[in-house]
Short mmCIF file of all heavy atoms in Angstrom, two decimals:
data_model
loop_
_atom_site.label_atom_id
_atom_site.label_comp_id
_atom_site.label_asym_id
_atom_site.label_seq_id
_atom_site.Cartn_x
_atom_site.Cartn_y
_atom_site.Cartn_z
N GLU Z 201 -5.97 -6.85 23.14
CA GLU Z 201 -6.92 -6.12 22.29
C GLU Z 201 -6.55 -6.17 20.81
O GLU Z 201 -7.37 -5.82 19.96
CB GLU Z 201 -6.99 -4.66 22.76
CG GLU Z 201 -7.61 -4.50 24.14
CD GLU Z 201 -7.44 -3.10 24.69
OE1 GLU Z 201 -6.65 -2.32 24.09
OE2 GLU Z 201 -8.06 -2.78 25.72
N ARG Z 202 -5.33 -6.62 20.49
CA ARG Z 202 -4.84 -6.57 19.11
C ARG Z 202 -5.05 -7.87 18.33
O ARG Z 202 -4.69 -7.96 17.16
CB ARG Z 202 -3.35 -6.21 19.12
CG ARG Z 202 -3.03 -4.88 19.80
CD ARG Z 202 -3.40 -3.69 18.96
NE ARG Z 202 -3.20 -2.43 19.64
CZ ARG Z 202 -2.04 -1.82 19.84
NH1 ARG Z 202 -0.91 -2.39 19.42
NH2 ARG Z 202 -1.98 -0.66 20.45
N SER Z 203 -5.57 -8.91 18.97
CA SER Z 203 -5.86 -10.19 18.29
C SER Z 203 -4.62 -10.78 17.61
O SER Z 203 -4.66 -11.17 16.44
CB SER Z 203 -6.98 -10.00 17.25
OG SER Z 203 -8.17 -9.58 17.85
N VAL Z 204 -3.54 -10.87 18.36
CA VAL Z 204 -2.31 -11.48 17.83
C VAL Z 204 -2.49 -12.99 17.75
O VAL Z 204 -3.08 -13.60 18.64
CB VAL Z 204 -1.10 -11.12 18.72
CG1 VAL Z 204 0.17 -11.78 18.19
CG2 VAL Z 204 -0.94 -9.62 18.83
N ARG Z 205 -1.97 -13.59 16.68
CA ARG Z 205 -2.05 -15.04 16.49
C ARG Z 205 -0.65 -15.62 16.36
O ARG Z 205 0.28 -14.93 15.93
CB ARG Z 205 -2.87 -15.38 15.24
CG ARG Z 205 -4.29 -14.86 15.30
CD ARG Z 205 -5.02 -14.95 13.98
NE ARG Z 205 -6.31 -14.28 14.07
CZ ARG Z 205 -7.42 -14.82 14.54
NH1 ARG Z 205 -7.40 -16.09 14.92
NH2 ARG Z 205 -8.54 -14.15 14.61
N PHE Z 206 -0.52 -16.89 16.73
CA PHE Z 206 0.78 -17.57 16.69
C PHE Z 206 0.71 -18.79 15.79
O PHE Z 206 -0.22 -19.60 15.89
CB PHE Z 206 1.18 -18.00 18.11
CG PHE Z 206 2.49 -18.74 18.17
CD1 PHE Z 206 3.70 -18.06 18.23
CD2 PHE Z 206 2.51 -20.14 18.18
CE1 PHE Z 206 4.90 -18.76 18.30
CE2 PHE Z 206 3.70 -20.83 18.25
CZ PHE Z 206 4.90 -20.14 18.30
N TYR Z 207 1.67 -18.89 14.89
CA TYR Z 207 1.77 -20.04 13.98
C TYR Z 207 3.14 -20.69 14.16
O TYR Z 207 4.18 -20.07 13.87
CB TYR Z 207 1.55 -19.62 12.53
CG TYR Z 207 0.13 -19.22 12.25
CD1 TYR Z 207 -0.30 -17.91 12.47
CD2 TYR Z 207 -0.81 -20.15 11.81
CE1 TYR Z 207 -1.62 -17.54 12.25
CE2 TYR Z 207 -2.13 -19.79 11.59
CZ TYR Z 207 -2.53 -18.48 11.82
OH TYR Z 207 -3.83 -18.13 11.60
N ALA Z 208 3.14 -21.92 14.64
CA ALA Z 208 4.39 -22.63 14.88
C ALA Z 208 5.05 -23.04 13.57
O ALA Z 208 4.37 -23.45 12.63
CB ALA Z 208 4.13 -23.87 15.74
N PHE Z 209 6.39 -22.91 13.53
CA PHE Z 209 7.09 -23.39 12.33
C PHE Z 209 8.23 -24.36 12.63
O PHE Z 209 8.82 -24.93 11.72
CB PHE Z 209 7.59 -22.23 11.46
CG PHE Z 209 8.53 -21.25 12.13
CD1 PHE Z 209 9.78 -21.62 12.59
CD2 PHE Z 209 8.14 -19.93 12.28
CE1 PHE Z 209 10.65 -20.70 13.17
CE2 PHE Z 209 8.99 -19.00 12.87
CZ PHE Z 209 10.25 -19.39 13.32
N SER Z 210 8.54 -24.57 13.90
CA SER Z 210 9.54 -25.61 14.22
C SER Z 210 9.50 -25.94 15.70
O SER Z 210 8.99 -25.16 16.52
CB SER Z 210 10.95 -25.16 13.82
OG SER Z 210 11.42 -24.15 14.68
N MET Z 211 10.05 -27.09 16.02
CA MET Z 211 10.17 -27.53 17.41
C MET Z 211 11.66 -27.71 17.69
O MET Z 211 12.37 -28.38 16.93
CB MET Z 211 9.44 -28.86 17.61
CG MET Z 211 9.55 -29.43 19.03
SD MET Z 211 9.08 -31.19 19.08
CE MET Z 211 7.43 -31.12 18.45
N VAL Z 212 12.14 -27.08 18.76
CA VAL Z 212 13.53 -27.27 19.14
C VAL Z 212 13.70 -28.71 19.61
O VAL Z 212 12.81 -29.29 20.25
CB VAL Z 212 13.92 -26.28 20.25
CG1 VAL Z 212 15.34 -26.54 20.74
CG2 VAL Z 212 13.80 -24.85 19.73
N GLU Z 213 14.83 -29.31 19.29
CA GLU Z 213 15.09 -30.72 19.61
C GLU Z 213 14.72 -31.03 21.07
O GLU Z 213 15.31 -30.48 22.01
CB GLU Z 213 16.57 -31.03 19.40
CG GLU Z 213 16.90 -32.50 19.25
CD GLU Z 213 16.45 -33.07 17.91
OE1 GLU Z 213 15.96 -32.31 17.05
OE2 GLU Z 213 16.59 -34.28 17.74
N PRO Z 214 13.70 -31.86 21.30
CA PRO Z 214 13.28 -32.15 22.69
C PRO Z 214 14.28 -33.07 23.40
O PRO Z 214 15.00 -33.85 22.77
CB PRO Z 214 11.94 -32.85 22.49
CG PRO Z 214 12.00 -33.46 21.13
CD PRO Z 214 12.87 -32.55 20.31
N ASP Z 215 14.32 -32.94 24.73
CA ASP Z 215 15.22 -33.78 25.53
C ASP Z 215 14.62 -35.16 25.80
O ASP Z 215 15.32 -36.09 26.19
CB ASP Z 215 15.52 -33.09 26.88
CG ASP Z 215 16.25 -31.77 26.68
OD1 ASP Z 215 17.01 -31.66 25.70
OD2 ASP Z 215 16.05 -30.86 27.51
N ASP Z 216 13.32 -35.29 25.64
CA ASP Z 216 12.58 -36.52 25.97
C ASP Z 216 12.87 -37.61 24.94
O ASP Z 216 12.45 -37.53 23.79
CB ASP Z 216 11.09 -36.19 26.00
CG ASP Z 216 10.26 -37.35 26.52
OD1 ASP Z 216 10.70 -38.51 26.41
OD2 ASP Z 216 9.15 -37.10 27.03
N ALA Z 217 13.60 -38.64 25.36
CA ALA Z 217 13.97 -39.72 24.45
C ALA Z 217 12.74 -40.45 23.92
O ALA Z 217 12.70 -40.85 22.74
CB ALA Z 217 14.90 -40.71 25.16
N GLU Z 218 11.72 -40.60 24.77
CA GLU Z 218 10.51 -41.30 24.34
C GLU Z 218 9.78 -40.51 23.25
O GLU Z 218 9.32 -41.07 22.26
CB GLU Z 218 9.59 -41.50 25.55
CG GLU Z 218 8.34 -42.32 25.23
CD GLU Z 218 7.48 -42.57 26.45
OE1 GLU Z 218 8.00 -42.47 27.58
OE2 GLU Z 218 6.28 -42.85 26.28
N LEU Z 219 9.70 -39.18 23.44
CA LEU Z 219 9.07 -38.34 22.43
C LEU Z 219 9.87 -38.34 21.14
O LEU Z 219 9.31 -38.42 20.04
CB LEU Z 219 8.91 -36.90 22.95
CG LEU Z 219 8.27 -35.90 21.98
CD1 LEU Z 219 6.87 -36.35 21.60
CD2 LEU Z 219 8.23 -34.50 22.59
N LEU Z 220 11.20 -38.28 21.28
CA LEU Z 220 12.05 -38.32 20.08
C LEU Z 220 11.84 -39.60 19.29
O LEU Z 220 11.77 -39.59 18.07
CB LEU Z 220 13.52 -38.20 20.49
CG LEU Z 220 14.09 -36.79 20.63
CD1 LEU Z 220 15.50 -36.84 21.21
CD2 LEU Z 220 14.12 -36.10 19.27
N SER Z 221 11.71 -40.69 20.00
CA SER Z 221 11.49 -41.98 19.35
C SER Z 221 10.14 -42.00 18.64
O SER Z 221 10.00 -42.53 17.53
CB SER Z 221 11.55 -43.10 20.39
OG SER Z 221 11.23 -44.34 19.80
N GLU Z 222 9.13 -41.38 19.28
CA GLU Z 222 7.79 -41.35 18.70
C GLU Z 222 7.75 -40.50 17.43
O GLU Z 222 7.11 -40.85 16.44
CB GLU Z 222 6.81 -40.78 19.73
CG GLU Z 222 5.38 -40.64 19.23
CD GLU Z 222 4.49 -39.94 20.24
OE1 GLU Z 222 4.84 -39.93 21.44
OE2 GLU Z 222 3.45 -39.38 19.82
N LEU Z 223 8.47 -39.38 17.46
CA LEU Z 223 8.44 -38.46 16.31
C LEU Z 223 9.38 -38.89 15.19
O LEU Z 223 9.21 -38.48 14.04
CB LEU Z 223 8.80 -37.04 16.77
CG LEU Z 223 7.86 -36.40 17.79
CD1 LEU Z 223 8.35 -35.02 18.19
CD2 LEU Z 223 6.45 -36.31 17.23
N GLY Z 224 10.38 -39.67 15.55
CA GLY Z 224 11.32 -40.12 14.53
C GLY Z 224 12.16 -38.97 14.00
O GLY Z 224 12.41 -37.98 14.69
N ASN Z 225 12.53 -39.09 12.75
CA ASN Z 225 13.46 -38.15 12.15
C ASN Z 225 12.76 -37.23 11.16
O ASN Z 225 13.40 -36.60 10.32
CB ASN Z 225 14.57 -38.95 11.44
CG ASN Z 225 15.69 -38.07 10.95
OD1 ASN Z 225 16.07 -37.12 11.63
ND2 ASN Z 225 16.20 -38.34 9.76
N SER Z 226 11.43 -37.15 11.25
CA SER Z 226 10.66 -36.43 10.23
C SER Z 226 10.19 -35.06 10.72
O SER Z 226 9.54 -34.94 11.76
CB SER Z 226 9.43 -37.25 9.82
OG SER Z 226 8.56 -36.48 9.03
N PHE Z 227 10.51 -34.01 9.95
CA PHE Z 227 10.04 -32.66 10.23
C PHE Z 227 8.51 -32.62 10.16
O PHE Z 227 7.84 -31.98 10.96
CB PHE Z 227 10.65 -31.70 9.20
CG PHE Z 227 10.69 -30.26 9.63
CD1 PHE Z 227 11.42 -29.33 8.90
CD2 PHE Z 227 10.00 -29.80 10.74
CE1 PHE Z 227 11.46 -27.99 9.27
CE2 PHE Z 227 10.04 -28.47 11.12
CZ PHE Z 227 10.78 -27.56 10.38
N GLU Z 228 7.94 -33.34 9.19
CA GLU Z 228 6.49 -33.35 9.01
C GLU Z 228 5.80 -33.95 10.23
O GLU Z 228 4.75 -33.45 10.67
CB GLU Z 228 6.11 -34.13 7.76
CG GLU Z 228 4.61 -34.09 7.47
CD GLU Z 228 4.25 -34.76 6.16
OE1 GLU Z 228 5.10 -35.48 5.59
OE2 GLU Z 228 3.11 -34.56 5.69
N LYS Z 229 6.39 -34.99 10.82
CA LYS Z 229 5.77 -35.60 12.00
C LYS Z 229 5.75 -34.63 13.17
O LYS Z 229 4.85 -34.66 14.01
CB LYS Z 229 6.52 -36.88 12.38
CG LYS Z 229 6.18 -38.08 11.50
CD LYS Z 229 6.79 -39.36 12.05
CE LYS Z 229 6.38 -40.57 11.22
NZ LYS Z 229 6.93 -41.82 11.76
N ARG Z 230 6.75 -33.76 13.23
CA ARG Z 230 6.78 -32.77 14.31
C ARG Z 230 5.67 -31.73 14.12
O ARG Z 230 5.05 -31.29 15.09
CB ARG Z 230 8.15 -32.10 14.39
CG ARG Z 230 9.24 -33.10 14.74
CD ARG Z 230 10.53 -32.46 15.12
NE ARG Z 230 11.53 -33.49 15.44
CZ ARG Z 230 12.71 -33.25 15.98
NH1 ARG Z 230 13.06 -32.01 16.28
NH2 ARG Z 230 13.54 -34.24 16.23
#
Side-chain angles (χ1 to χ4, degrees):
E201 293 169 348
R202 302 284 175 77
S203 299
V204 179
R205 300 169 188 276
F206 178 84
Y207 290 87
F209 58 65
S210 72
M211 179 196 302
V212 176
E213 199 73 5
D215 297 329
D216 188 334
E218 185 177 339
L219 179 60
L220 272 173
S221 175
E222 178 186 338
L223 298 178
N225 188 38
S226 169
F227 201 169
E228 184 175 14
K229 283 188 176 181
R230 296 193 180 190

